[in-house]
Amino acid sequence: MDRLFRIFLGLCVMLAAAQASNVTVSTLNTTVTNSTCGTRRACFSDPVSCNPATDRSCLFVSTKSDGSSNLNFELRGESNGYIAVALSTDMNAGGNDKTYICANNNSAVLFVFALLNNSALTTQSDVSSIANVSGSINQTTIQCVFNVIGLNATSRANAATTFSIVLANGTVYANGSLSNPTVRTVTAQLDLSNVTSTNTATTTVAPSTNSTNASNVTTTTATTTTTSGANISLQHGLSQAVLILLGILAIGMM
């Protein structure tokens, strides 16, 4: 009986880890634009001040606060792979920056939360700070809208939403793994809750960190996505192996 209990507990550990990694993406039925920049939303882009609705080279993100440290993000860009926005506390891309990725995985919207350290992405299983994710893909146009809850850049309340915006893009490989990102721009430290914040005069061009070496990318989760009304489960073999190994270790240590 004791052995059966240990096996059951180990299976619970594996199941909890798998469930924690799931992100549900609903279908986005609106178009991300720059029409409310400066009045209702803070906007950042590369090239500077581009219009994502008309400029195919435009990588764009806007933010809006709910009055606290919760922010709504609208991300749009052109890519055969993925687009991403990262939040840096020091104006340097790659210091364990929280990174939100919207990817095209065989025409399905894949949303990934990761940390960008140096030039490598490490996918995170704890997505409890992310809510209300929706997305759409139209050929190479990728759009994602999502909420990030409880941002805290510093211990000072009035600076909780002050970050440098990092805009980047990259490749999705055939096995579903992500390349290292190519950083397009890094802004100055700006308050993302202030609708007048923009990178019009404060853009810092960052060097490319793109790599075609998939082994540099650490993926630790499986992600569930929904696009065009269909539920699509994406299970990476590596993720499953890690979860099984954790379960076996948990059983063996009991």
Side-chain angles (χ1 to χ4, degrees):
M1 178 66 71
D2 185 54
R3 177 174 175 78
L4 288 176
F5 176 76
R6 291 199 302 269
I7 292 173
F8 172 75
L9 187 58
L11 290 173
C12 287
V13 170
M14 291 186 289
L15 180 60
Q19 289 177 336
S21 65
N22 290 342
V23 176
T24 299
V25 182
S26 61
T27 301
L28 179 64
N29 294 314
T30 59
T31 300
V32 174
T33 72
N34 64 353
S35 61
T36 60
C37 291
T39 56
R40 297 181 60 187
R41 305 185 69 88
C43 297
F44 316 92
S45 64
D46 179 74
V48 172
S49 301
C50 61
N51 184 351
T54 58
D55 184 353
R56 294 183 65 85
S57 69
C58 187
L59 181 53
F60 172 88
V61 69
S62 67
T63 58
K64 181 181 179 181
S65 171
D66 66 357
S68 63
S69 59
N70 305 331
L71 288 178
N72 172 261
F73 287 77
E74 293 188 349
L75 178 64
R76 175 172 172 164
E78 300 288 330
S79 178
N80 288 314
Y82 70 83
I83 57 176
V85 57
L87 305 180
S88 172
T89 58
D90 57 11
M91 287 186 65
N92 294 310
N96 274 331
D97 302 329
K98 293 180 178 180
T99 306
Y100 308 92
I101 300 164
C102 189
N104 182 344
N105 193 307
N106 297 320
S107 298
V109 178
L110 174 66
F111 186 89
V112 178
F113 174 47
L115 294 181
L116 177 61
N117 188 27
N118 295 324
S119 61
L121 291 169
T122 302
T123 305
Q124 301 299 293
S125 60
D126 184 1
V127 293
S128 58
S129 63
I130 301 167
N132 302 325
V133 182
S134 59
S136 67
I137 292 175
N138 182 7
Q139 297 180 347
T140 60
T141 303
I142 304 175
Q143 298 186 127
C144 271
V145 174
F146 55 94
N147 293 336
V148 177
I149 302 166
L151 283 170
N152 187 14
T154 72
S155 59
R156 294 177 297 152
N158 62 348
T161 54
T162 296
F163 295 90
S164 292
I165 286 282
V166 180
L167 288 172
N169 51 21
T171 300
V172 178
Y173 295 113
N175 65 358
S177 62
L178 307 178
S179 73
N180 290 351
T182 296
V183 175
R184 294 268 299 266
T185 193
V186 182
T187 74
Q189 295 274 287
L190 298 167
D191 182 1
L192 307 188
S193 67
N194 186 338
V195 297
T196 64
S197 292
T198 180
N199 64 321
T200 298
T202 55
T203 300
T204 301
V205 177
S208 171
T209 56
N210 189 49
S211 170
T212 57
N213 185 359
S215 64
N216 290 335
V217 182
T218 304
T219 303
T220 59
T221 66
T223 305
T224 299
T225 69
T226 303
T227 182
S228 301
N231 291 324
I232 303 171
S233 292
L234 300 173
Q235 299 290 336
H236 298 304
L238 178 60
S239 303
Q240 293 173 326
V242 170
L243 293 175
I244 292 172
L245 179 60
L246 288 174
I248 292 173
L249 291 174
I251 293 171
M253 295 173 63
M254 296 174 185

